[in-house]
Amino acid sequence: VVENVKTNNKPSIAVDGELYITQGDKYDNTMLKATAYDKEDGDLTDKIQISGDKVDTTKLGTYDVVATV
């Protein structure tokens, strides 16, 4: 008996470190330089969803931005 067991590894997401921007600068999610990959599906970068705090560059502060696939 041969069983085909399909594995589905979790994707890994990489973000290019912390992002610091100057008050008043423009911000968009591509500045995070996030990439995603998993063994079965390969490059999943175009499937990344960004959530978390809305970044308002007119206000000083720390913003938590979350990348998921």
Side-chain angles (χ1 to χ4, degrees), residues 25-40:
D25 282 356
K26 292 186 181 205
Y27 166 82
D28 70 67
N29 291 329
T30 62
M31 295 170 73
L32 297 172
K33 298 180 184 174
T35 58
Y37 177 86
D38 81 8
K39 187 174 182 179
E40 292 78 28

Side-chain angles (χ1 to χ4, degrees), residues 16 18 29 51 64-66:
D16 192 23
E18 293 184 21
N29 291 329
S51 62
D64 291 319
V65 178
V66 180

Side-chain angles (χ1 to χ4, degrees), residues 2-68:
V2 175
E3 276 187 51
N4 287 333
V5 178
K6 185 175 180 178
T7 59
N8 190 11
N9 295 302
K10 293 181 181 180
S12 61
I13 299 175
V15 177
D16 192 23
E18 293 184 21
L19 176 65
Y20 296 93
I21 55 177
T22 302
Q23 186 176 6
D25 282 356
K26 292 186 181 205
Y27 166 82
D28 70 67
N29 291 329
T30 62
M31 295 170 73
L32 297 172
K33 298 180 184 174
T35 58
Y37 177 86
D38 81 8
K39 187 174 182 179
E40 292 78 28
D41 301 311
D43 186 1
L44 297 169
T45 301
D46 62 340
K47 306 256 190 262
I48 294 175
Q49 299 288 316
I50 303 295
S51 62
D53 295 341
K54 182 177 186 301
V55 177
D56 182 352
T57 63
T58 65
K59 298 179 181 175
L60 291 176
T62 301
Y63 298 90
D64 291 319
V65 178
V66 180
T68 56

